[in-house]
């Protein structure tokens, strides 16, 4: 398999590696691997809307615009987002209650690459991930509702139900949970600011683990509050790229959340 050209945000800078160890970063990798293991196990067991508000910290240069939403018409600038305040800005974001999005994970190794496509649907406290087969047809479904995990396939009647444990809805879609950025050691944030990715104004931040050489850069939409892209790198080498697009903040159809036995994962009063 030939090497796939990668598209990076136009002005992305190389991460600074002169930082200390990040315990949360290692934990994120452990959770990610656990999610993959859970997905493989469950697959084997089966036969056959609101706008995000951004609160800028005091002294950010935008004191007249403490709360930024789509309605304010205020345009963020690079001066508004810095390494010193990016955690406070991200902490003020809120995900929409309902949305759907396409998620593409690209894994790179030894000059080869592989793409994994999925759709993520969120409504009424339930997150459903739909994985496609090689032809782009929905093949496998996984969902998280509270502390419960569900899995089933497009064909057949078998379904699996269990506890989520440490696995989150983001793990099912192989999306790094960007809210964990708030808990990082500020000294580990090597870069932050505002960039445009795919025509979307995004808050970005890079966190680096000096001991392992791995870095993770998040790009978060300043409008929807949702992750747009994330890149895992080791030194200058891209290891994994996550692209989230085709976002819709309309409520996904209730029919998507029905398991093979006819049970809906949505509340009983849902239409």
């Amino acid at each position: 398999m030939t090497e796939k050209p990668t598209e990076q945000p136009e002005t992305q800078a190389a991460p600074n590696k002169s930082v200390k160890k990040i315990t949360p970063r290692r934990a994120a990798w452990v959770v990610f691997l656990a999610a993959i293991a859970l997905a493989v196990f469950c697959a084997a067991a089966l036969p056959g809307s609101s706008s995000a508000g951004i609160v800028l910290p005091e002294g950010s240069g935008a004191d007249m615009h403490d709360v930024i939403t789509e309605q304010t018409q205020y345009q963020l600038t690079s001066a508004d987002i810095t390494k010193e305040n990016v955690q406070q800005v991200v902490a003020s974001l809120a995900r929409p209650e309902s949305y759907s999005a396409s998620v593409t994970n690209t894994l790179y190794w030894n000059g080869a690459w592989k793409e994994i496509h999925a759709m993520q649907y969120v409504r009424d406290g339930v997150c459903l991930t739909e994985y496609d087969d090689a032809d782009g047809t929905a093949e496998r479904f996984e969902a998280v509702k509270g502390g419960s995990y569900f899995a089933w396939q497009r064909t057949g009647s078998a379904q699996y139900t269990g506890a989520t444990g440490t696995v989150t809805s983001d793990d099912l879609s192989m999306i790094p949970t960007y809210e964990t950025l708030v808990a990082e050691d500020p000294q580990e944030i090597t870069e932050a600011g505002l960039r445009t990715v795919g025509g979307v104004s995004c808050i970005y931040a890079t966190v680096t683990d000096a001991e392992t050489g791995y870095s993770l850069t998040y790009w978060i939409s300043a409008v929807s509050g949702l992750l747009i892209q994330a890149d895992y790198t080791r030194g200058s080498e891209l290891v994994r790229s996550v692209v989230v697009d085709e976002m819709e903040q309309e409520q996904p159809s209730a029919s998507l959340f029905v398991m093979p036995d006819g049970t809906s994962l949505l509340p009983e009063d849902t239409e």
Side-chain angles (χ1 to χ4, degrees), residues 25-38:
R25 182 63 47 245
R26 288 189 169 185
W29 279 97
V30 171
V31 171
F32 165 67
L33 293 175
I36 296 302
L38 177 60

Side-chain angles (χ1 to χ4, degrees), residues 28 31-36 38-39 95-96 99 101 103 105 118-122 126-129 131 142-146 149 164 166-181 218 225-227 230 232 240 242 244 247:
V31 171
F32 165 67
L33 293 175
I36 296 302
L38 177 60
R95 301 193 193 196
Y99 63 90
V103 182
N105 270 269
M119 286 294 298
Q120 188 179 62
Y121 302 99
V122 177
V126 184
C127 179
L128 172 69
T129 298
Y131 280 99
E142 300 179 47
V144 167
K145 177 183 180 181
Y149 168 86
T164 58
T166 59
V167 176
T168 69
S169 56
D170 284 340
D171 295 328
L172 297 185
S173 302
M174 297 173 64
I175 298 175
T177 302
Y178 60 88
E179 287 91 347
T180 58
L181 176 65
Y218 306 85
L226 295 172
L227 187 76
Y232 295 78
R240 178 162 73 100
V242 183
V244 184
M247 289 187 178

Side-chain angles (χ1 to χ4, degrees), residues 6 80 84 90 141 170 181 206 216:
T6 60
D80 292 323
E84 290 71 29
V90 171
F141 301 85
D170 284 340
L181 176 65
T206 297
L216 173 54

Side-chain angles (χ1 to χ4, degrees), residues 12 15 213-216 231-240:
Q12 182 183 4
Y214 282 96
S215 295
L216 173 54
D231 285 342
Y232 295 78
T233 57
R234 181 174 54 201
S236 60
E237 178 186 5
L238 182 64
V239 177
R240 178 162 73 100

